[in-house]
Amino acid sequence: MVTVLRLWFVTLLLFSPVALSELCNPHDKKVLLQIKNDLNNPYLLASWNPDTDCCQWYCVECHPKTHRITSLVILSSVPETNFSGQIPPSVGDLPYLETLEFHKLPKLTGPIQPTIAKLTKLKELYISWTNISGPVPDFLAQLTNLQFLDLSFNNLSGPIPSSLSRLPNLLSLRLDRNRLIGPIPDSFGSFKRPGPSLVLSHNQLSGPIPASLSNIDPQRIDFSRNKLEGDASMLFGSNKTTQMVDVSRNLLAFDLSRVEFPTSLILLDLNHNKITGKIPVGLTAVDFLQGFNVSYNRLCGEIPQGGRLQKFDVDSYFHNKCLCGSPLPSCN
């Protein structure tokens, strides 16, 4: 009988809310409950019950040994009707956070909170598909462990801070689909090689692409749908390993004939610019090219035969000054 009672007591202890809550760091739990309150107690965070272990809450991950909060990922597959407010300043009070994400929350407004700069262990910061506004803040450069920075699909405005180039471990930078203005910072050429993938499309960036970008070799470059001018040849080179380059729908004007392309290219999109010259024969050596578009430029001459250049249809070439040859009509 004593053994049965002892087993019953142990079972009750293991599965009681009080016992489970002991796994969660009390400070972290208090901060999470403050975050929930600041966001007007949305249904998305209904599992955040103060009587249960916060390591078991939805949107939260804890370290398996220390039980400190390492990940806070608040996202919604459908628009939240009661999820409103600004990013709570208290997110900066989770000192062991490595991942922070707010995604598809259209009623999330206001600026990027300065307290985020306190999250020195942060490796991934995703704030996307929200209505946050204001500038891309300089203080993000203090997050020196950051590997992924995604601030896409928001209402951010102003220039891109040059200080972001001081992030030594950055692998990917996404600032696309905002209202950013001004030039691409010249300092971006000082990223540690190969440099992060740079996705800056669908903004109002202007001026020339910095020549300093010849120093880096990112996997992906997307500067499309801006107001960039002048040369883009520094993005290429036979010694680079870049796979995707999209600079379409800008005001770029340079001689394509002189450009040497990396054989690693999978996507090259130059459409809707003012690019002159001929299509280089070197592009026939790019064996894995899956996407290609040079339409709506000022190119001339015969499309080189060989490689994958004839695999693309007329739409990839049309509306040029005097381009000819398969798949366009013959040059004769």
Side-chain angles (χ1 to χ4, degrees):
M1 184 66 179
V2 173
T3 302
V4 173
L5 287 173
R6 186 175 296 163
L7 286 173
W8 176 83
F9 177 77
V10 171
T11 303
L12 181 65
L13 184 63
L14 286 173
F15 290 96
S16 68
V18 174
L20 288 174
S21 66
E22 290 177 359
L23 292 176
C24 179
N25 180 273
H27 168 81
D28 291 353
K29 188 172 190 176
K30 182 180 179 180
V31 171
L32 291 174
L33 291 173
Q34 182 62 51
I35 290 171
K36 180 182 179 181
N37 182 67
D38 290 344
L39 293 172
N40 298 312
N41 299 305
Y43 177 74
L44 187 62
L45 305 181
S47 69
W48 291 22
N49 185 328
D51 294 327
T52 60
D53 178 12
C54 74
C55 291
Q56 305 299 320
W57 291 354
Y58 184 63
C59 304
V60 170
E61 289 185 13
C62 291
H63 190 279
K65 293 183 179 179
T66 65
H67 307 297
R68 299 305 298 261
I69 304 297
T70 57
S71 175
L72 176 59
V73 177
I74 301 178
L75 54 86
S76 180
S77 56
V78 294
E80 272 278 333
T81 56
N82 68 332
F83 196 116
S84 62
Q86 300 190 12
I87 297 173
S90 50
V91 296
D93 296 326
L94 295 170
Y96 291 86
L97 210 59
E98 296 181 4
T99 300
L100 176 61
E101 179 172 0
F102 296 95
H103 179 62
K104 283 195 174 180
L105 302 168
K107 293 187 178 181
L108 191 68
T109 58
I112 299 175
Q113 289 290 347
T115 56
I116 288 177
K118 295 161 58 178
L119 302 174
T120 58
K121 296 183 183 297
L122 205 63
K123 296 179 180 178
E124 303 177 47
L125 177 60
Y126 307 98
I127 306 174
S128 56
W129 293 82
T130 77
N131 271 303
I132 63 165
S133 56
V136 177
D138 264 318
F139 61 71
L140 293 176
Q142 300 175 37
L143 303 174
T144 54
N145 286 307
L146 210 58
Q147 298 177 4
F148 297 91
L149 176 57
D150 183 350
L151 303 178
S152 61
F153 289 86
N154 294 301
N155 281 316
L156 297 171
S157 57
I160 299 173
S162 61
S163 58
L164 294 182
S165 64
R166 299 203 300 267
L167 293 170
N169 298 298
L170 200 61
L171 301 176
S172 176
L173 173 63
R174 289 196 59 174
L175 302 175
D176 50 305
R177 295 188 185 261
N178 282 287
R179 294 184 289 117
L180 303 175
I181 60 172
I184 298 171
D186 183 71
S187 65
F188 277 19
S190 64
F191 274 115
K192 183 179 178 181
R193 195 177 174 95
S197 291
L198 298 172
V199 182
L200 311 177
S201 66
H202 294 79
N203 281 290
Q204 300 173 40
L205 302 176
S206 58
I209 297 174
S212 63
L213 295 193
S214 63
N215 298 327
I216 60 173
D217 186 18
Q219 184 181 60
R220 179 186 179 192
I221 296 172
D222 187 351
F223 297 162
S224 63
R225 295 180 182 266
N226 281 290
K227 300 175 182 179
L228 300 170
E229 302 173 0
D231 195 5
S233 60
M234 78 292 293
L235 302 178
F236 307 102
S238 58
N239 62 332
K240 291 196 175 186
T241 59
T242 302
Q243 296 182 359
M244 305 173 69
V245 177
D246 186 349
V247 292
S248 62
R249 296 182 181 271
N250 279 287
L251 304 169
L252 299 170
F254 60 99
D255 185 353
L256 193 66
S257 312
R258 302 177 180 179
V259 178
E260 294 185 354
F261 290 94
T263 57
S264 54
L265 275 178
I266 297 173
L267 169 72
L268 177 62
D269 196 341
L270 306 175
N271 81 79
H272 284 82
N273 281 290
K274 302 176 181 180
I275 301 169
T276 59
K278 299 180 178 181
I279 295 177
V281 174
L283 272 172
T284 62
V286 182
D287 296 330
F288 300 103
L289 198 61
Q290 302 296 319
F292 180 73
N293 195 335
V294 293
S295 64
Y296 289 91
N297 278 291
R298 300 174 182 178
L299 299 172
C300 270
E302 185 173 7
I303 298 170
Q305 299 292 308
R308 298 191 56 82
L309 293 183
Q310 278 67 50
K311 303 289 184 181
F312 304 102
D313 59 24
V314 172
D315 292 350
S316 295
Y317 297 99
F318 69 176
H319 284 276
N320 274 286
K321 185 177 180 182
C322 48
L323 204 58
C324 57
S326 177
L328 295 177
S330 170
C331 297
N332 298 327

